[in-house]
Amino acid sequence: MTDNTISSAVIIGAGIFGVSTGVQLARRGIRVTILNDGPPANGASGRSLSWLNSARMRSEPYHRLRMAGIDRYRTLSVRYPGAGWLRFDGGLTWDADDERNEIDAAYRHEVSLAYDALRLSAGEVARITPGIDARAITPQGAIFNPGEGWVDLPALIGVLLEEFSALNGVLVTDQGAARVVVEGGRAAGAETATGGRFPADAVVLATGPAVPRMAAESGQVIGDGTPVALLVQTRPLAHPLRAVLNTPRVAVRPAPGGTFSLDADWAADEGLKPRTDGGYDIDGAVVDALLAEAAKVMEGNPKLEVASIGVGGKPIPGDGEPVIGALKAIPGYYVAFSHSGATLGLIVGELLASEVATGAEHPMLATFRPERFASR
């Protein structure tokens, strides 16, 4: 399929949004160049928990978009049935035993949406999903969502880039950071730090937490609520846990090769100290505490060891909702900026590429337009 509105596009960012959009545009016969300031997935996509879900409460349009996102992963899982980087083994969540516990309300809300959910007591968990230390589950119980899963984004990005290359897409990773070039009031391509020029009919900005700052360079406002996040990857461990765990003190996600990914907001808040060079010093005691919290919720309380630690911004728009689509003040300039990049990765690439290629807005993105921030 070839569209006539544009013939070329440049994408800045080789995370999941950028690569997914690039593949979709290339499938339409459009010449696509992806620019990245380092290897693919070197930003937020490389340190994402990557839990595929639409659990708990959010706006109805956001829920529908996330459910469409999960649907695309199910289609992908049929194409790659033995993939070790994409699994649907469910998700288990529980809250702290205090006045903030919302398990009952969350369960009732999910049932009202026909979101597959089981309300479980601690004693019932073992027969539904393995690998959890039931002693960690609070008296209010837990919710198991059988339809949830996880994806390893660097592996997925690698798979998508293979197709992108086969479709004659070009990936440029050796020219430093890039910026959008605006000429005559419209996006005209991109320029890299080393002076490389890449003219195009359309530009997609998909640089994760850097999107608001980079859009601001062209006078555009995008609300930004990005925090700094920390993701710990463990060394391989033989363990029966298969579900993603979202618990009061730690989130635990199985990963390829018998490893686990761990994160928690408190660990980032307490364990990271910014340096003057823009990096962070990591408190080893806080990392050890995070490992201990993960061990507490896992059957047998295994000894977990660090393989790697990722630190950086977790893309979250100022109002928590995705920011996807055209910057209407600058024709040809598009952005993709959102939390839940893993869940939304495939569907955002599909819908945004359709808009870039045809100029027609997709109704599922109606409430996620960038101009909502300018109107405020």
Side-chain angles (χ1 to χ4, degrees):
M1 173 182 175
T2 301
D3 295 285
N4 298 319
T5 304
I6 68 167
S7 62
S8 62
V10 167
I11 296 170
I12 304 178
I16 186 57
F17 284 162
V19 172
S20 175
T21 304
V23 169
Q24 291 283 346
L25 287 170
R27 287 175 182 172
R28 292 171 174 266
I30 293 168
R31 298 193 314 275
V32 185
T33 301
I34 298 176
L35 307 177
N36 205 54
D37 59 359
N42 67 332
S45 290
R47 54 177 184 269
S48 168
L49 187 69
S50 304
W51 170 29
L52 305 178
N53 80 95
S54 190
R56 300 284 178 145
M57 291 162 265
R58 56 185 50 80
S59 72
E60 193 271 340
Y62 193 9
H63 174 69
R64 285 195 295 116
L65 187 65
R66 289 170 73 117
M67 293 303 292
I70 294 170
D71 172 78
R72 297 307 190 268
Y73 278 104
R74 291 199 173 278
T75 301
L76 188 69
S77 71
V78 174
R79 288 178 54 195
Y80 298 94
W85 43 265
L86 176 60
R87 298 290 304 174
F88 283 99
D89 294 315
L92 185 75
T93 183
W94 65 89
D95 289 354
D97 182 17
D98 58 29
E99 69 280 357
R100 296 169 295 173
N101 190 294
E102 295 182 339
I103 284 295
D104 184 61
Y107 172 70
R108 286 186 281 108
H109 176 73
E110 290 176 9
V111 169
S112 76
L113 298 174
Y115 187 72
D116 200 359
L118 301 173
R119 180 78 180 273
L120 304 174
S121 67
E124 294 173 315
V125 167
R127 67 178 176 84
I128 300 296
T129 184
I132 295 101
D133 188 333
R135 296 173 299 178
I137 299 173
T138 48
Q140 296 86 347
I143 299 172
F144 182 67
N145 301 111
E148 295 179 354
W150 59 268
V151 63
D152 184 77
L153 285 180
L156 171 60
I157 288 169
V159 169
L160 293 176
L161 284 173
E162 289 180 7
E163 179 183 355
F164 181 69
S165 177
L167 293 169
N168 299 313
V170 176
L171 173 66
V172 177
T173 62
D174 57 357
Q175 296 192 23
R179 67 176 187 89
V180 179
V181 174
V182 177
E183 294 177 348
R186 67 167 292 120
E191 182 178 51
T192 63
T194 57
R197 297 272 298 191
F198 298 86
D201 299 323
V203 181
V204 177
L205 184 61
T207 52
V211 166
R213 173 184 58 78
M214 295 179 70
E217 293 172 358
S218 300
Q220 303 304 298
V221 177
I222 294 177
D224 188 13
T226 296
V228 178
L230 176 151
L231 187 84
V232 172
Q233 196 80 18
T234 74
R235 292 180 178 174
L237 172 75
H239 195 274
L241 180 64
R242 296 292 177 265
V244 180
L245 303 185
N246 186 24
T247 82
R249 291 285 292 173
V250 64
V252 182
R253 188 260 290 176
T259 64
F260 292 90
S261 297
L262 319 175
D263 83 352
D265 291 343
W266 63 266
D269 294 341
E270 299 174 16
L272 301 177
K273 183 178 180 180
R275 299 194 305 257
T276 56
D277 64 1
Y280 292 86
D281 291 322
I282 302 171
D283 187 336
V286 172
V287 173
D288 289 343
L290 181 63
L291 293 171
E293 292 291 350
K296 287 179 186 177
V297 302
M298 296 172 67
E299 180 181 295
N301 309 130
K303 179 175 175 53
L304 301 173
E305 298 179 338
V306 175
S308 64
I309 300 175
V311 176
K314 178 189 292 186
I316 298 181
D319 59 5
E321 298 271 302
V323 185
I324 307 165
L327 293 175
K328 294 184 178 177
I330 307 175
Y333 193 153
Y334 298 80
V335 299
F337 174 55
S338 182
H339 187 36
S340 308
T343 301
L344 300 181
L346 297 179
I347 192 64
V348 163
E350 177 185 324
L351 301 186
L352 184 57
S354 174
E355 294 197 346
V356 172
T358 67
E361 293 186 345
H362 194 284
M364 283 191 74
L365 301 180
T367 65
F368 306 130
R369 302 294 172 192
E371 62 265 22
R372 71 182 188 267
F373 293 105
S375 66
R376 295 171 188 173

